[in-house]
């Protein structure tokens, strides 16, 4: 899986947390780090052919950056079917989440995990619901994939 921030977000703790969480669920992770330019995210996705792309934002600009980057990812034939999710603080305008979630999923995201309820638990359930055959190595409790 690829973990990335959006171009405007310089936070790293969220990316490290996500990497550890995803690895705990049995996946290998390529963490692109903070302030990832859109073109770099697209080229890394093309180079790695990930099972999923996980985008995290803490600065509140995830919605606007996410809308832009999902269009670039979905414009690539090779990435049309790649699951792409986004989460974190997606806006700075308060509880407008329902509208943002609908708009982001309509734009091409497979799931949106906005701050508020329990996005970590929701994301973990999303990962655990994925077919076990997609795990790249033994899971953390020792069951071989």
């Amino acid at each position: 899986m690829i973990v990335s921030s959006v171009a405007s977000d310089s936070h790293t703790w969220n990316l490290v947390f996500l990497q550890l969480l995803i690895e705990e669920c049995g996946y290998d992770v390529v963490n692109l780090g903070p302030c990832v330019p859109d073109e770099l995210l697209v080229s890394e996705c093309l180079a790695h052919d990930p099972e999923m792309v996980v985008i995290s934002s803490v600065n509140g600009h995830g919605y606007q950056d996410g809308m832009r980057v999902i269009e670039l990812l979905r414009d690539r034939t090779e990435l049309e079917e790649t699951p792409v999710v986004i989460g974190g603080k997606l806006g700075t305008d308060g509880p407008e989440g329902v509208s943002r979630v609908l708009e982001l999923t309509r734009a091409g995201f497979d799931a949106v995990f906005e701050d508020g309820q329990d996005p970590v638990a929701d994301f973990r359930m999303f990962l655990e619901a994925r077919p076990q055959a997609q795990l790249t190595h033994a899971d953390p409790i020792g069951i071989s994939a």
Side-chain angles (χ1 to χ4, degrees), residues 34-88:
C35 297
V36 177
D38 298 349
E39 298 78 20
L40 178 61
L41 176 59
V42 172
S43 68
E44 289 297 309
C45 288
L46 292 170
H48 291 283
D49 188 26
E51 291 182 45
M52 182 184 298
V53 179
V54 180
I55 299 173
S56 178
S57 178
V58 177
N59 70 356
H61 299 288
Y63 169 79
Q64 67 188 48
D65 287 350
M67 290 294 280
R68 185 184 64 248
V69 79
I70 194 65
E71 183 178 341
L72 294 172
L73 290 168
R74 294 302 185 219
D75 279 349
R76 297 303 302 247
T77 305
E78 307 93 317
L79 302 172
E80 285 177 338
E81 301 297 319
T82 302
V84 181
V85 301
I86 190 168

Side-chain angles (χ1 to χ4, degrees), residues 99-122:
S99 175
R100 277 193 290 268
V101 169
L102 290 174
E103 290 176 28
L104 288 163
T105 53
R106 285 183 184 143
F109 282 98
D110 294 278
V112 178
F113 304 95
E114 187 159 27
D115 275 353
Q117 302 290 313
D118 192 351
V120 174
D122 292 343

